Amino acid sequence: MKITWLGHSAYRLEFGSSVVLIDPFLTGNSSFTGTVEDASKGATHVVLTHGHADHVGDTVAITKATGAKLVTNFELCQYLGRKGVAATDSMNTGGTTDQGEFSVTLTIAFHSSAEMDANGVLHNLGLPNGVVISPKSASEPVVYHMGDTDVFSDMAIIGELYRPKVAMVPMGDRYTMGARGAALAMRRFLPDVPVVLPCHYRTFLPLAQSPDDFLREMGDQAGRVRVPAVGESFEV
């Protein structure tokens, strides 16, 4: 699997004939330096963790340009369908959907999920989620993107059920868990995940500006952490 961090919580996964974009917040993402067209080229699926603008991002434009299928919770599928997303596959927490070469499972996450309209009215966009991408090929790693969340002990159950080999971990604080909570999540509840990718930092000033505190909190397990540059691709 080829993984590219696009800044903030956005990732591009390439394996087999699938190109999966998770939370493609590109336009307005101060960390992202490429083009939406290049980052989304060949996209077959867009998977969203929740409905905040810094995660939905360019979903509508990307799906229109590429024909990619949107996979996310029911409310968000309905909402974005009204915005012009043609192909949607709705689901909900705990459910799994078959996407051909892989499946998508929505897990719990502790956060919020809403969008404010032009009149200042907040619209509920379903529960926030983490997502598990499970390729059917045994040679490809299972990926757990936590979405935006605090640490919770049931992360251990997610590890037991799906056995992820890669975890995207928000650690920027303020809107998600910070370095200490994120490190506890990985050390205590997901100790067998060999590739840990910190995210949701540096994008704007209230967030942590580096993963240094997280690496420090990981202590003797800091070797599990990989910190790619934005736009850098690597193989797992």
Side-chain angles (χ1 to χ4, degrees):
M1 178 182 290
K2 181 179 177 182
I3 300 177
T4 307
W5 185 39
L6 301 172
H8 202 55
S9 292
Y11 289 89
R12 176 184 170 106
L13 312 180
E14 300 172 63
F15 54 98
S17 60
S18 298
V19 177
V20 182
L21 300 179
I22 304 176
D23 288 357
F25 170 50
L26 306 175
T27 303
N29 175 351
S30 63
S31 297
F32 177 68
T33 58
T35 67
V36 175
E37 292 74 20
D38 286 345
S40 61
K41 185 177 181 180
T44 59
H45 297 78
V46 174
V47 179
L48 298 180
T49 62
H50 65 290
H52 286 158
D54 61 329
H55 293 260
V56 174
D58 296 276
T59 293
V60 174
I62 289 170
T63 58
K64 286 182 177 180
T66 65
K69 183 195 296 184
L70 171 63
V71 185
T72 189
N73 76 59
F74 175 81
E75 289 83 0
L76 197 46
C77 274
Q78 294 296 303
Y79 175 78
L80 292 175
R82 295 290 295 271
K83 297 284 187 180
V85 177
T88 64
D89 196 355
S90 66
M91 53 190 308
N92 218 317
T93 309
T96 298
T97 62
D98 190 330
Q99 302 300 324
E101 286 188 316
F102 64 98
S103 65
V104 177
T105 303
L106 293 186
T107 72
I108 62 173
F110 288 93
H111 193 58
S112 57
S113 181
E115 178 68 31
M116 184 179 290
D117 66 21
N119 298 313
V121 178
L122 278 171
H123 297 273
N124 186 339
L125 295 176
L127 293 174
N129 293 110
V131 297
V132 177
I133 308 293
S134 301
K136 293 180 181 177
S137 170
S139 64
E140 303 287 0
V142 174
V143 174
Y144 173 31
H145 191 305
M146 293 180 175
D148 282 4
T149 189
D150 191 10
V151 60
F152 54 94
S153 59
D154 283 355
M155 287 176 173
I157 296 176
I158 295 169
E160 182 178 351
L161 283 171
Y162 307 109
R163 303 192 182 282
K165 298 300 181 186
V166 179
M168 288 88 167
V169 186
M171 41 61 61
D173 214 344
R174 178 69 69 132
Y175 300 107
T176 70
M177 56 190 171
R180 187 180 181 191
L184 178 68
M186 298 315 302
R187 290 177 62 91
R188 181 179 298 182
F189 302 125
L190 292 163
D192 298 324
V193 178
V195 180
V196 179
L197 304 175
C199 64
H200 209 277
Y201 68 92
R202 193 187 295 150
T203 324
F204 39 88
L205 274 177
L207 303 182
Q209 294 299 292
S210 84
D212 292 351
D213 287 345
F214 176 62
L215 285 162
R216 211 162 19 247
E217 292 286 346
M218 286 293 287
D220 59 357
Q221 295 186 30
R224 298 163 59 199
V225 181
R226 183 156 189 168
V227 185
V230 176
E232 177 185 349
S233 300
F234 57 95
E235 302 278 342
V236 177

